[in-house]
Amino acid sequence: MSGIFKKVVLASVLVGSFAFAGGHVEVLGTSTLHDWKMQSSDLKVDMLSQDNKPTKIEVSMVAQSLKSTEGKSMDKNAYKAMKVTPIDVITYVMKSYDPATNTLVGIININGKDVDVSTKPKIVNDKEIEGSFKTKITDFGMVPPKFMLGAMKVGDEITINYKVTPDN
């Protein structure tokens, strides 16, 4: 089965499931002109927990479900910088959770690039996990965009705010 066909099938399955998903993701960043935000509530979440501790977390979303508060031109530029198509999927898979330090470790995959992330959620229980962490655009093999002949530059550091709840 070709890679493109697999992506189409996966995206079709995920898009069909998103209506029942819970939570949201926000990506916050800066530029030389203004701060910016992209967000999505179209998450597919597979989460298991025991005694208010996560034992499994897998989150996926179609990359182009992230939408900017600045409008469609920013969305278009962001998708171009991420090198994503309407069928590309962003995933997060938990590797471990340490309740003694409240540390959640996992892998985010964007466009085939895996990046390890560690976060200390502010809420962890059987019904939700909520928190934030900082990372860099360049960690994902992307170049922060420049616009208007370089007059506007996007900052490399971004903040990811998240809240995930299990699908029912």
Side-chain angles (χ1 to χ4, degrees):
M1 189 181 304
S2 78
I4 293 291
F5 183 72
K6 286 180 187 176
K7 281 185 176 183
V8 170
V9 170
L10 179 60
S12 298
V13 169
L14 290 171
V15 170
S17 302
F18 283 151
F20 304 105
H24 66 271
V25 172
E26 293 179 332
V27 181
L28 307 171
T30 61
S31 75
T32 51
L33 292 179
H34 57 74
D35 292 349
W36 55 269
K37 174 170 71 171
M38 295 185 82
Q39 54 196 15
S40 177
S41 296
D42 292 335
L43 308 179
K44 170 72 177 149
V45 179
D46 186 4
M47 185 170 108
L48 300 173
S49 60
Q50 184 175 4
D51 300 325
N52 281 327
K53 297 175 196 97
T55 57
K56 174 184 179 181
I57 304 171
E58 294 179 0
V59 180
S60 58
M61 68 181 186
V62 174
Q64 290 191 10
S65 72
L66 281 168
K67 301 294 181 192
S68 167
T69 56
E70 299 296 319
K72 291 185 182 202
S73 65
M74 181 163 166
D75 293 349
K76 181 180 171 185
N77 290 327
Y79 304 149
K80 182 178 177 182
M82 289 192 298
K83 299 177 184 167
V84 294
T85 70
I87 61 170
D88 288 322
V89 176
I90 297 172
T91 61
Y92 170 86
V93 177
M94 181 184 88
K95 290 176 23 178
S96 64
Y97 175 68
D98 182 352
T101 61
N102 188 39
T103 303
L104 185 63
V105 177
I107 299 171
I108 294 177
N109 181 289
I110 299 176
N111 207 12
K113 173 80 172 166
D114 287 340
V115 174
D116 290 324
V117 295
S118 177
T119 181
K120 293 182 182 276
K122 62 182 181 180
I123 298 173
V124 177
N125 60 48
D126 291 339
K127 303 287 182 212
E128 67 182 325
I129 297 178
E130 182 177 345
S132 84
F133 62 93
K134 293 185 184 298
T135 190
K136 293 184 177 183
I137 293 171
T138 52
D139 289 346
F140 293 93
M142 296 178 236
V143 176
K146 296 177 185 176
F147 307 100
M148 297 186 280
L149 302 173
M152 186 186 116
K153 298 175 186 174
V154 172
D156 191 19
E157 185 175 85
I158 54 175
T159 300
I160 310 290
N161 295 329
Y162 61 88
K163 179 179 180 179
V164 293
T165 57
D167 291 345
N168 293 328

